[in-house]
Amino acid sequence: MKETNKEDFRPQPLTVRIHPRARRIVFRVKRDGIHVSAPPGTSPEAIEQAAERLKDKLDAARRKALRPLIDRNFRIKADFFELSLSEGNTGRFLPVGREGRMEIWYPPHTDFNNPELQEWLRKVVRELLRKEARRILPGRLKEISQIHGLTYSGVRINTAQSRWGSCSSKGNINLSCYLMLLPARLIDYVLLHELCHTREMNHGPRFRALLDACTQGKASALEKELKQYRTEL
């Protein structure tokens, strides 16, 4: 999915509640902002300083809280993976479909605001992505490696959210299942990027020249486009 703006998600001011039984400052991140419980006598400056120390964690939690709900309007439409939700007539959730076109049937009157349900649904969607990634990506990697004469030792599909892919010094390539959310041209670019690492492990001039040659001079443009997407739902 495309990336949200990389801004500081911490709202100003924080929503603060002085709690008589609180022993320390506690931050709770919700969809409507960051709520703070603090002991009596806590100064605004102390709260701001605590928030600043936790800024990275609070920003990450805020981004997570602001993720779109997986509900009846949730859609994924990518080149190799499509997913939608539809109301079913049973009392349970049921994934149906095949070969990259999936649908999840949900029970009537489902409360999509339930946090536990949201986490479960994300796990279900992630597993569907991984299943399709295992079906599509190894074959495509093999095709691209043969076209460009870049050999590798093995390939694994994971659920990494920190990077699209990686390549070890032994030529083993790891690919995130979230690649399935990308357009085909960007999937191929990531695969080429990792294949080029089988020859050049760093991102130095020789690596950049090899990647540019393999992409007909489009490496910089493709890299810029890739930054619009995130490895998450």
Side-chain angles (χ1 to χ4, degrees):
M1 289 196 161
K2 285 198 174 182
E3 182 179 18
T4 52
N5 292 331
K6 294 181 179 179
E7 58 182 292
D8 182 351
F9 282 89
R10 181 159 57 85
Q12 298 292 335
L14 300 169
T15 302
V16 179
R17 179 190 177 194
I18 302 300
H19 198 288
R21 295 184 180 180
R23 296 184 178 182
R24 59 188 177 89
I25 300 172
V26 176
F27 295 89
R28 292 182 175 84
V29 180
K30 300 181 181 180
R31 290 187 68 85
D32 63 348
I34 299 177
H35 297 254
V36 187
S37 295
T42 304
S43 68
E45 292 76 16
I47 294 173
E48 284 296 327
Q49 289 170 6
E52 189 60 33
R53 288 194 299 270
L54 295 172
K55 179 180 180 299
D56 290 343
K57 290 184 178 180
L58 292 175
D59 284 354
R62 188 82 174 108
R63 281 191 288 270
K64 183 177 179 179
L66 289 174
R67 293 180 301 184
L69 289 176
I70 296 181
D71 59 13
R72 58 183 58 84
N73 298 314
F74 184 82
R75 297 287 185 276
I76 294 176
K77 187 173 177 58
D79 288 350
F80 294 116
F81 186 81
E82 295 183 15
L83 175 72
S84 61
L85 276 73
S86 298
E87 183 174 314
N89 55 9
T90 66
R92 63 190 182 95
F93 285 84
L94 182 64
V96 296
R98 62 186 179 87
E99 294 187 352
R101 289 182 171 86
M102 302 298 301
E103 188 174 18
I104 298 176
W105 295 351
Y106 60 87
H109 312 298
T110 296
D111 179 13
F112 287 104
N113 290 304
N114 185 312
E116 293 181 359
L117 174 61
Q118 282 296 306
E119 288 305 312
W120 181 80
L121 282 172
R122 290 184 192 282
K123 288 180 181 179
V124 170
V125 176
R126 185 167 59 243
E127 285 307 308
L128 293 174
L129 281 172
R130 181 156 61 175
K131 180 180 178 181
E132 287 305 304
R134 287 171 173 167
R135 184 176 70 87
I136 295 291
L137 298 182
R140 186 57 184 154
L141 182 69
K142 183 178 180 179
E143 290 177 9
I144 293 175
S145 71
Q146 291 173 344
I147 291 171
H148 296 278
L150 298 168
T151 60
Y152 60 98
S153 300
V155 57
R156 294 182 63 184
I157 307 299
N158 56 39
T159 58
Q161 292 184 284
S162 59
R163 60 180 66 185
W164 296 108
S166 63
C167 179
S168 73
S169 58
K170 295 182 179 180
N172 292 309
I173 292 177
N174 294 291
L175 300 172
S176 172
C177 67
Y178 293 103
L179 282 166
M180 301 302 295
L181 302 175
L182 299 178
R185 64 184 177 280
L186 293 182
I187 293 177
D188 285 356
Y189 170 71
V190 173
L191 301 187
L192 264 174
H193 184 112
E194 301 310 330
L195 284 168
C196 286
H197 277 312
T198 62
R199 287 191 185 174
E200 301 291 339
M201 284 302 297
N202 57 39
H203 289 95
R206 289 192 299 182
F207 170 83
R208 302 308 305 183
L210 176 60
L211 184 59
D212 215 38
C214 290
T215 58
Q216 293 77 49
K218 299 177 181 178
S220 294
L222 291 167
E223 183 69 28
K224 183 178 180 181
E225 186 179 358
L226 181 63
K227 290 179 179 179
Q228 298 178 47
Y229 295 82
R230 294 183 67 88
T231 49
E232 65 181 22
L233 294 172

